[in-house]
Amino acid sequence: MEKKENTFAQYLQLLENRQYRQLRVALSDENEVDIADFIESLPQEKAAMVFRTLPKELAADVFSNLPAETQQVIVGSITDRELGEIVEELFVDDAVDMLEELPANVVKRVLKSARPETRQLINQFLQYPENSVGSIMTAEFIDLKKSMSALDAIERIRRIGEECESIYTCYVTDARRVLEGVVTLRELLLAPDNARVEDLMEGDVITALTTEDQEEAVQQLMKYDFISLPVTDHEHRLVGIVTVDDVMDVMEEEATEDFEKMAAMAPSEKPYLKTGVFTLAKNRILWLLVLMVSGMITGGILGRFESAFAVMPLLVTFIPMLTDTGGNAGSQSSTLIIRGMAVGDIGLRDFLQVFWKELRVSILVGAVLSIVNYVRLVITYPGNNLIALTVALALFVTVIVAKTVGGILPMIAKRLHADPAIMAAPLITTIVDAVSLVIYFSIAQALLRL
Amino acid sequence: MEKKENTFAQYLQLLENRQYRQLRVALSDENEVDIADFIESLPQEKAAMVFRTLPKELAADVFSNLPAETQQVIVGSITDRELGEIVEELFVDDAVDMLEELPANVVKRVLKSARPETRQLINQFLQYPENSVGSIMTAEFIDLKKSMSALDAIERIRRIGEECESIYTCYVTDARRVLEGVVTLRELLLAPDNARVEDLMEGDVITALTTEDQEEAVQQLMKYDFISLPVTDHEHRLVGIVTVDDVMDVMEEEATEDFEKMAAMAPSEKPYLKTGVFTLAKNRILWLLVLMVSGMITGGILGRFESAFAVMPLLVTFIPMLTDTGGNAGSQSSTLIIRGMAVGDIGLRDFLQVFWKELRVSILVGAVLSIVNYVRLVITYPGNNLIALTVALALFVTVIVAKTVGGILPMIAKRLHADPAIMAAPLITTIVDAVSLVIYFSIAQALLRL
């Protein structure tokens, strides 16, 4: 990190001395991700100036690593011809990512600067629904024919490889572009020159559909440890590939989204530090309001027992412990199940197994917590054994309800095609709080004759 | 999925008819991940039987995709010679993964069956601390010399590639194994035959240290979209590489661990469905006990205001709404910050920025929630405007405290080298519950003269 900052300082020096040629030479040796970091750290006019010193091909690579705001600044400060060159150099998926973030008038200008074929391809990609496999795939891949020899294939890779995002997995298609097989560069290279692609290729190909959810592609790619996955349309024609770097970004995004949903927030599009105060507030308010209603329902239930705790106010002091523990026990279970479903470890057919497991776990956990609580209360409030028993019993039942509800509710949500991560939290809190209070005061009324 | 189940049924048929040769032929065309799934679905004796029909190389690939229990069954049913062959075929990182899961007597037998060089390498790898880069790296990579031509390099890759986990990124080392540069197979293949490796390679290599945390490697690889990352020792000697498939596994594990910790559980080693009831219960009890203490503290604070709610029991019914909303508001903030730090978006130096942002967000959120609540209470309990004002004010302050504490506490935990995901939940709940109750009853006593 420090080393990088020193290099950045040198580049800044060159920029301020107007030594543009030296800057261009120095930057040519840098990694595109680091150059993007450098440009991002500069004020707007300087960012555009540095960008324009970059060689054409490097410029496109750097461009695709810049955040949307900086891309917009740069698009605004270059000529249509320069813009057209960058769009042609970009891989289609990166161009589409960029266009999705830019305002409509800029998108128009970008598309106008592109060649007709590129424009058509970009327009096609822009139509895939958000979060579909189509929206993250790339159109530049190596296609081979069955009849080629390994040597022919490698020659073709050397000829067209420059244009492709990934050359390490090659796809074998027939004349109608239907996918027939897949062969890795590794297999081609390690085979004898005259081996036929048909014999080297794997015919039983694992593919994704353009319209499938991108999480499907993530799970397939992870399961099989592939570095790219072919994407076909509904007629089995190969239309693109999804590469491992895109999949890693999706994995990180999806996990972040799940974290946000489970903490009762609308998922955000940008990193925290780059999101404005109003957007952050807006993302949080809706769910807090929903959960507040849940708290009000619990309050209403509590109101029904006003006479009980007017007689014995001590009962009130155990409410936070009871509802907190219920909430925590429930969210332990729901988190495990939601995460398990997200990574594909748990499916809907495991419903009964999950229910049975959570039931047994909750009996164990509930028993331990109740006994600890009972002992503590007997020691702290000597002579109040019945109160201790009331609290311990209520806690035991609460933990069991919380864990079984927490375990099966996300699965029910999924079966109803609702998002388990969103549905679970408010419902579980409301159910568990309400049930635990009713149980608590019912036991209290029975045992303590209130 | 259905297609796979049909194929599995066919294989089972072959197995039951004792048509081992046909089974061997049929399985040879399958993906190793699918064969592992098939073997895992079988009872123990059959699993071992199917495994022994596999050709030697495929056997090792399948073996590394099996869960530890099945690996143990198979190790127990094959001869030392067969075991030795598999260990030699496995990549060192997979062999080490396996040994870390097996009981000591089996490990001894496995190591005894390996060749001395392999044994030495495995022993070296076993010494890297858990979760270090060293523990996930692989020892088999392509090393080149600066003086080679592109053609020489490709010939070397064709010669030694079979043994390597990844051949697509090659590492240039000097005579003392110090890393000098990196060149991709793509660059070698697209360059003229007589181009020198020295001119093609990138000299400024991004590396990881064997002793660094594996999350470092994940973040570097994601940032630069590499498919492998070189790992060096403290003398800059190249000792291994980390490949993208291992990194994806680490990413998924780390995210799962963070989910578990944030839901107050000890992280589990195995998928939910494969974890026993006692282990699940054990993982959950400790933190529930800790959080129960937090609930008791809150209860104790509540006890100090017994006289207040004995006079006005209605006050009690707003407690769940108040503490729930505080808890939810706090966990929204802590989740965003913990996740932001985990993926590297937020650093400790952003402390003041986070504090200032959460403060402003919480004022906005708190104001909206308080106003909604005030209006609701005035409508529901006409004539009780002072109670409505008390609840609204307490809610406003609670949200502000919850969000600022939720935002900065994970950062303080990180500065103290504690795990933010573990530290945050219990402390935030306790602080927010306690503070909100004290504020609530203090305002109530002042406004309502209790």
Side-chain angles (χ1 to χ4, degrees):
Chain A
M1 206 58 214
E2 266 175 46
K3 190 208 125 210
K4 288 288 167 219
E5 269 159 30
N6 287 340
T7 344
F8 285 5
Q10 281 171 26
Y11 296 155
L12 207 57
Q13 196 61 50
L14 290 174
L15 184 67
E16 265 153 23
N17 298 345
R18 305 180 176 218
Q19 296 171 297
Y20 300 124
R21 188 165 309 172
Q22 285 94 320
L23 182 62
R24 181 190 171 102
V25 172
L27 288 177
S28 305
D29 284 339
E30 271 291 344
N31 183 295
E32 64 257 25
V33 179
D34 292 325
I35 302 178
D37 280 351
F38 172 56
I39 290 181
E40 213 188 319
S41 73
L42 297 172
Q44 293 201 1
E45 14 22 288
K46 281 189 184 156
M49 210 183 287
V50 171
F51 184 80
R52 295 183 74 168
T53 67
L54 296 173
K56 199 171 65 178
E57 272 178 46
L58 187 59
D61 288 340
V62 169
F63 191 82
S64 67
N65 279 297
L66 287 170
E69 304 92 82
T70 319
Q71 287 185 339
Q72 207 176 325
V73 169
I74 284 169
V75 170
S77 71
I78 59 181
T79 66
D80 281 0
R81 222 188 105 224
E82 285 172 320
L83 183 58
E85 282 173 358
I86 288 172
V87 174
E88 293 302 329
E89 285 290 335
L90 283 177
F91 294 118
V92 171
D93 60 335
D94 292 328
V96 171
D97 279 353
M98 167 187 90
L99 292 177
E100 276 167 349
E101 300 286 331
L102 293 178
N105 60 328
V106 184
V107 171
K108 232 173 167 173
R109 201 182 136 223
V110 171
L111 284 178
K112 213 187 62 186
S113 328
R115 291 207 325 260
E117 309 90 272
T118 315
R119 198 181 318 145
Q120 203 191 341
L121 202 54
I122 290 177
N123 273 322
Q124 182 200 329
F125 270 59
L126 278 172
Q127 276 160 31
Y128 293 116
E130 207 185 347
N131 297 330
S132 69
V133 171
S135 73
I136 56 164
M137 74 182 182
T138 180
E140 295 90 351
F141 52 84
I142 304 273
D143 56 322
L144 302 174
K145 295 283 166 253
K146 274 205 288 205
S147 55
M148 289 177 172
S149 70
L151 193 67
D152 293 341
I154 290 172
E155 259 166 24
R156 178 166 168 79
I157 295 171
R158 292 182 81 158
R159 207 165 55 241
I160 67 169
E162 198 66 71
E163 308 292 317
C164 295
E165 186 159 342
S166 174
I167 65 166
Y168 300 136
T169 310
C170 307
Y171 300 94
V172 184
T173 56
D174 70 8
R176 292 181 306 114
R177 294 209 342 259
V178 170
L179 183 62
E180 294 184 307
V182 57
V183 60
T184 61
L185 176 54
R186 179 195 185 113
E187 287 156 343
L188 290 170
L189 209 58
L190 300 184
D193 285 347
N194 60 355
R196 272 163 54 91
V197 166
E198 185 169 10
D199 302 320
L200 295 174
M201 76 183 195
E202 167 69 58
D204 187 15
V205 189
I206 289 141
T207 60
L209 271 171
T210 48
T211 48
E212 272 175 328
D213 192 294
Q214 57 186 12
E215 276 191 68
E216 283 297 311
V218 173
Q219 290 191 8
Q220 296 285 15
L221 217 131
M222 275 207 69
K223 178 171 179 191
Y224 294 102
D225 283 347
F226 291 155
I227 57 173
S228 59
L229 190 72
V231 183
T232 63
D233 61 17
H234 289 270
E235 278 86 50
H236 305 292
R237 283 180 310 222
L238 182 63
V239 286
I241 60 171
V242 172
T243 52
V244 74
D245 54 316
D246 298 324
V247 161
M248 287 173 75
D249 293 342
V250 171
M251 276 174 78
E252 196 168 282
E253 270 167 35
E254 301 266 349
T256 301
E257 245 185 70
D258 278 352
F259 273 109
E260 289 169 344
K261 286 183 200 158
M262 287 166 77
M265 278 172 282
S268 53
E269 312 231 308
K270 285 191 238 173
Y272 175 81
L273 292 177
K274 299 204 172 158
T275 313
V277 170
F278 281 94
T279 313
L280 283 174
K282 203 188 66 194
N283 288 344
R284 302 184 192 180
I285 285 175
L286 179 68
W287 278 104
L288 286 181
L289 281 172
V290 172
L291 290 164
M292 212 166 70
V293 173
S294 150
M296 290 173 187
I297 295 173
T298 316
I301 292 169
L302 206 47
R304 284 175 40 209
F305 299 103
E306 248 178 62
S307 60
F309 57 76
V311 179
M312 195 176 275
L314 182 59
L315 284 179
V316 171
T317 63
F318 303 116
I319 292 178
M321 188 276 293
L322 211 55
T323 53
D324 282 2
T325 306
N328 292 325
S331 80
Q332 285 182 334
S333 304
S334 62
T335 301
L336 277 184
I337 304 305
I338 292 170
R339 178 68 184 162
M341 292 197 296
V343 301
D345 283 343
I346 301 175
L348 285 181
R349 57 179 162 182
D350 304 314
F351 187 84
L352 286 178
Q353 203 185 334
V354 168
F355 176 75
W356 176 226
K357 202 159 214 172
E358 284 305 309
L359 188 63
R360 286 176 296 162
V361 172
S362 65
I363 292 172
L364 272 176
V365 172
V368 172
L369 296 183
S370 304
I371 293 168
V372 171
N373 233 295
Y374 182 77
V375 172
R376 180 193 85 103
L377 291 178
V378 168
I379 295 171
T380 330
Y381 301 94
N384 279 319
N385 287 10
L386 275 183
I387 291 192
L389 190 60
T390 304
V391 174
L393 274 178
L395 185 62
F396 182 63
V397 180
T398 299
V399 170
I400 293 176
V401 171
K403 288 210 162 291
T404 42
V405 170
I408 63 175
L409 210 64
M411 303 189 81
I412 294 175
K414 188 160 188 187
R415 178 155 304 176
L416 299 175
H417 301 286
D419 188 327
I422 284 189
M423 282 291 294
L427 262 176
I428 294 173
T429 318
T430 314
I431 296 175
V432 172
D433 278 6
V435 170
S436 67
L437 287 177
V438 171
I439 293 167
Y440 179 46
F441 283 105
S442 306
I443 297 177
Q445 283 173 329
L447 282 184
L448 306 169
R449 299 175 201 287
L450 295 176
Chain B
M1 207 59 213
E2 268 174 45
K3 191 207 121 211
K4 287 290 165 220
E5 270 158 30
N6 287 341
T7 344
F8 285 5
Q10 281 171 25
Y11 296 155
L12 207 55
Q13 196 60 50
L14 290 174
L15 184 65
E16 265 153 22
N17 298 346
R18 302 179 179 221
Q19 296 171 297
Y20 300 124
R21 191 166 307 172
Q22 286 94 319
L23 182 62
R24 181 190 170 100
V25 172
L27 287 177
S28 304
D29 283 341
E30 272 289 347
N31 183 295
E32 65 257 25
V33 180
D34 292 325
I35 303 178
D37 279 352
F38 172 56
I39 291 181
E40 213 188 317
S41 73
L42 297 172
Q44 292 201 1
E45 11 27 284
K46 283 190 184 155
M49 211 183 287
V50 170
F51 184 80
R52 295 183 75 169
T53 66
L54 296 173
K56 198 171 66 177
E57 271 178 48
L58 187 58
D61 288 340
V62 169
F63 190 82
S64 67
N65 278 297
L66 287 170
E69 304 92 81
T70 319
Q71 287 185 340
Q72 207 177 324
V73 169
I74 284 167
V75 170
S77 72
I78 59 182
T79 65
D80 282 0
R81 220 186 107 224
E82 286 172 318
L83 184 58
E85 283 172 358
I86 289 172
V87 174
E88 293 302 328
E89 285 290 335
L90 283 176
F91 294 118
V92 171
D93 59 336
D94 293 328
V96 170
D97 280 353
M98 168 189 90
L99 292 176
E100 276 167 349
E101 300 286 330
L102 293 177
N105 58 329
V106 185
V107 171
K108 231 172 169 173
R109 199 180 138 226
V110 171
L111 284 177
K112 213 186 61 187
S113 327
R115 291 208 324 260
E117 310 88 273
T118 314
R119 197 180 319 143
Q120 202 192 342
L121 204 53
I122 290 177
N123 273 322
Q124 182 199 329
F125 270 58
L126 278 171
Q127 277 159 31
Y128 293 115
E130 207 185 346
N131 298 330
S132 69
V133 170
S135 72
I136 55 164
M137 73 182 183
T138 179
E140 295 90 351
F141 52 83
I142 304 272
D143 56 322
L144 302 174
K145 294 284 166 252
K146 274 204 289 201
S147 54
M148 289 177 172
S149 70
L151 193 68
D152 294 341
I154 290 172
E155 261 167 23
R156 176 166 170 81
I157 295 171
R158 292 181 81 158
R159 207 165 57 241
I160 66 169
E162 199 67 70
E163 308 292 317
C164 294
E165 186 159 343
S166 174
I167 66 166
Y168 299 136
T169 310
C170 308
Y171 299 94
V172 184
T173 55
D174 70 9
R176 292 180 307 114
R177 296 210 338 263
V178 171
L179 183 62
E180 294 184 307
V182 56
V183 61
T184 62
L185 176 54
R186 179 195 186 113
E187 287 157 341
L188 290 170
L189 209 58
L190 300 182
D193 285 348
N194 60 355
R196 273 164 53 92
V197 166
E198 183 169 11
D199 301 321
L200 295 173
M201 76 183 195
E202 167 70 58
D204 188 14
V205 188
I206 290 141
T207 60
L209 271 172
T210 48
T211 48
E212 271 176 328
D213 192 294
Q214 56 186 11
E215 277 191 68
E216 283 295 312
V218 171
Q219 290 191 7
Q220 296 284 15
L221 218 130
M222 276 208 67
K223 178 171 179 189
Y224 293 102
D225 284 346
F226 291 155
I227 57 173
S228 58
L229 190 72
V231 182
T232 62
D233 62 16
H234 288 270
E235 277 86 50
H236 307 292
R237 285 180 307 224
L238 183 63
V239 286
I241 61 172
V242 172
T243 53
V244 73
D245 54 315
D246 298 323
V247 162
M248 286 173 75
D249 294 341
V250 171
M251 274 174 78
E252 196 168 282
E253 270 167 36
E254 301 265 349
T256 301
E257 245 186 69
D258 277 352
F259 273 109
E260 290 170 342
K261 285 183 202 161
M262 285 166 78
M265 277 171 282
S268 53
E269 311 231 311
K270 286 191 235 172
Y272 175 80
L273 292 177
K274 300 205 171 159
T275 313
V277 170
F278 281 95
T279 312
L280 283 173
K282 202 187 67 192
N283 288 344
R284 301 183 193 181
I285 286 175
L286 180 68
W287 278 104
L288 286 181
L289 282 172
V290 172
L291 289 163
M292 212 166 70
V293 173
S294 149
M296 289 172 189
I297 295 173
T298 317
I301 291 169
L302 207 46
R304 284 175 39 209
F305 299 102
E306 247 178 62
S307 59
F309 58 78
V311 178
M312 194 174 277
L314 181 59
L315 285 180
V316 171
T317 64
F318 303 115
I319 292 177
M321 188 276 295
L322 211 56
T323 54
D324 282 2
T325 306
N328 293 324
S331 81
Q332 286 183 333
S333 305
S334 62
T335 301
L336 278 184
I337 304 304
I338 292 170
R339 179 68 184 160
M341 291 197 296
V343 301
D345 283 344
I346 301 174
L348 286 181
R349 58 178 161 182
D350 305 313
F351 187 86
L352 286 178
Q353 203 185 336
V354 168
F355 175 76
W356 176 226
K357 203 160 213 170
E358 283 305 310
L359 187 63
R360 285 176 298 162
V361 172
S362 65
I363 291 173
L364 272 175
V365 172
V368 173
L369 295 183
S370 304
I371 292 168
V372 171
N373 233 296
Y374 181 77
V375 172
R376 181 193 85 102
L377 291 179
V378 167
I379 296 171
T380 329
Y381 301 94
N384 278 320
N385 286 10
L386 273 184
I387 290 193
L389 190 61
T390 304
V391 174
L393 274 179
L395 185 62
F396 183 64
V397 180
T398 299
V399 170
I400 293 175
V401 172
K403 288 210 162 292
T404 42
V405 170
I408 63 175
L409 210 64
M411 304 190 79
I412 294 175
K414 188 159 188 189
R415 178 155 305 176
L416 299 175
H417 301 287
D419 188 327
I422 286 189
M423 281 291 294
L427 261 176
I428 293 173
T429 317
T430 315
I431 295 175
V432 172
D433 279 6
V435 170
S436 67
L437 288 177
V438 170
I439 293 167
Y440 179 45
F441 282 105
S442 305
I443 297 176
Q445 283 173 328
L447 283 184
L448 306 168
R449 298 175 204 285
L450 296 174

